[in-house]
Amino acid sequence: ADSSAMTAVYLTLVNAGTTTDTLRGIEAADATEASIHVSMEHDGTMHMTAIPEVPMPAGDSVAFRPLATHLMLTGLKRALVD
């Protein structure tokens, strides 16, 4: 894969526990870097910013989706398949 290739990852994480948890980072074997990002609109333009963590409320789920909080993989080592 192209070493500059990147992709966004969308999923839903569920915290079935009874206490709040925090997602503080991610790793991906097929990318040189993996991070948590959030997309925001500012003055009519979309911007993406890395964030250090995402709260995971007890007994709830957090959706990582387009134009919101999502995961970014950069430096892909191979093509990814759905």
Side-chain angles (χ1 to χ4, degrees):
D2 178 355
S3 64
S4 65
M6 66 175 65
T7 193
V9 178
Y10 309 117
L11 66 140
T12 299
L13 291 179
V14 177
N15 178 359
T18 57
T19 59
T20 296
D21 207 345
T22 303
L23 177 64
R24 290 200 167 93
I26 61 169
E27 295 181 3
D30 290 321
T32 58
E33 187 176 332
S35 54
I36 307 166
H37 281 79
V38 64
S39 296
M40 297 175 279
E41 184 178 344
H42 181 70
D43 293 333
T45 303
M46 291 303 293
H47 297 274
M48 186 173 62
T49 304
I51 57 174
E53 59 189 33
V54 175
M56 303 290 299
D60 205 352
S61 62
V62 176
F64 293 80
R65 60 187 194 279
L67 303 176
T69 304
H70 58 279
L71 308 179
M72 287 298 301
L73 303 181
T74 57
L76 295 176
K77 299 175 184 177
R78 66 178 184 89
L80 303 180
V81 180
D82 288 352

